[in-house]
Amino acid sequence: MHVLVVHDYGPLGKVLLERLRETSLHVSPLLVSNPASANLSALESWIPEDTDLIVNALWLADPEAAELDPEGTHRAAFSLPVAIAEYARDRGVALFQLSSCYVFDGRKQSGYIASNPGQPVNELGNWQWECEQALRTLLPRHIILRTGWSLSRFIRKVQASTASTDALALPGRCVGQPVSVRDLARVMTAVIQQLDCGAEVWGTFQYAGAEEISLYELGLAIAGLPGIPESLHVVDNTPAWGALEPPNTTLICTKIRNTFGIKQFPWRSGLVDELAILRSEAKQVEARTPTA
């Protein structure tokens, strides 16, 4: 099976490509450095004719960034994947698309299952839910994988706060499950390998790391990592961006286990590795940045 991985400069594309290249799959990368400005009419020239599966590894999991660039979010979270889905439909190609827990409003008292309808409360969730609905209409042979919080996003928040003397406010009212880059790549690879073996199991699935936690408690866990200054002070409070966070984004992940045999890994076991990946990414970004 020929798998085309659409990715950006973020760490998920790099880690996923490394994992897939360790398999027997024929893997091709497609770098989209700026999804918000991608030329959608050029898709035909980007995608090899013998592609069997397109994996959109552009992982959008930051509602703050989405609010700052609503038009760019619309293009990256909706227009680009829908254009890919239309291309795939016309050529008999399957599509693997990422979504997130932000399609939900968080008012449910228990965890969300894959069949629960979206009720987004922010820009990111809105376009991801619109994308999910469009894919279900356009392309029967699709995998939609909703993910929990990006562990990297909150490690970056903690890292950024170390440059300030102010305490880092994280809302204890918001509960969910993080997922690391390496664990998400593991899950995606396992699904892709089973599709390669002929599994005709399409639809919407969910994955997040094992163990529910509040954002405040997550901040405390990150603050205890090696290399994070002990002087960092985390407080249970709701910052301005906290209004974008649903109170409950807990995902029930039994469907992906029952269908593909994929078990949840504890997100805590990936904390140190995630921090190392981010530090490596920062060095690469610095190397790509031209000096004055």
Side-chain angles (χ1 to χ4, degrees), residues 8-16 152 156 181 274 277-278 281:
D8 55 13
Y9 284 119
L12 177 61
K14 179 176 182 292
V15 175
L16 178 62
S152 292
R156 287 191 183 100
V181 164
E274 192 86 347
I277 287 175
L278 290 182
E281 180 194 27

Side-chain angles (χ1 to χ4, degrees), residues 30-260:
L30 174 59
L31 174 64
V32 180
S33 57
N34 186 0
S37 62
N39 180 8
L40 304 184
S41 62
L43 275 178
E44 192 164 349
S45 62
W46 297 349
I47 301 173
E49 288 185 8
D50 63 344
T51 300
D52 300 298
L53 172 68
I54 301 171
V55 178
N56 185 1
L58 301 172
W59 188 25
L60 304 175
D62 186 346
E64 289 176 83
E67 295 294 321
L68 292 172
D69 184 12
E71 181 56 33
T73 300
H74 172 222
R75 288 182 61 83
F78 180 78
S79 300
L80 177 59
V82 168
I84 294 173
E86 290 172 341
Y87 174 95
R89 175 199 59 195
D90 295 342
R91 291 160 180 81
V93 177
L95 174 62
F96 190 132
Q97 172 68 33
L98 294 174
S99 186
S100 81
C101 57
Y102 290 108
V103 300
F104 299 121
D105 63 9
R107 290 188 293 176
K108 193 179 180 197
Q109 297 302 306
S110 57
Y112 288 91
I113 60 175
S115 59
N116 286 144
Q119 293 281 346
V121 295
N122 56 45
E123 195 78 21
L124 176 63
N126 178 57
W127 288 118
Q128 287 181 327
W129 176 241
E130 291 292 328
C131 176
E132 285 191 19
Q133 293 177 293
L135 294 196
R136 294 185 189 108
T137 302
L138 282 169
L139 189 64
R141 295 176 70 238
H142 70 261
I143 297 283
I144 294 170
L145 180 61
R146 294 185 191 133
T147 72
W149 295 326
S150 163
L151 184 56
S152 292
R153 177 183 169 219
F154 293 101
I155 291 178
R156 287 191 183 100
K157 279 193 177 297
V158 171
Q159 287 177 316
S161 72
T162 61
S164 171
T165 56
D166 297 333
L168 172 62
L170 292 170
R173 69 174 186 85
C174 298
V175 177
Q177 310 128 297
V179 60
S180 70
V181 164
R182 204 171 296 280
D183 194 25
L184 180 55
R186 171 189 71 89
V187 171
M188 294 175 71
T189 300
V191 171
I192 293 165
Q193 285 183 297
Q194 292 189 51
L195 296 178
D196 181 45
C197 291
E200 287 289 329
V201 280
W202 309 101
T204 304
F205 300 86
Q206 300 184 152
Y207 184 80
E211 185 194 346
E212 298 171 40
I213 194 168
S214 72
L215 284 177
Y216 167 65
E217 292 169 325
L218 177 59
L220 292 177
I222 295 169
L225 288 174
I228 301 294
E230 294 182 5
S231 59
L232 175 67
H233 188 41
V234 181
V235 297
D236 182 353
N237 205 347
T238 303
W241 58 264
L244 301 173
E245 296 292 335
N248 173 31
T249 54
T250 303
L251 301 178
I252 304 298
C253 304
T254 51
K255 183 179 178 183
I256 199 167
R257 183 189 66 201
N258 294 340
T259 306
F260 295 105

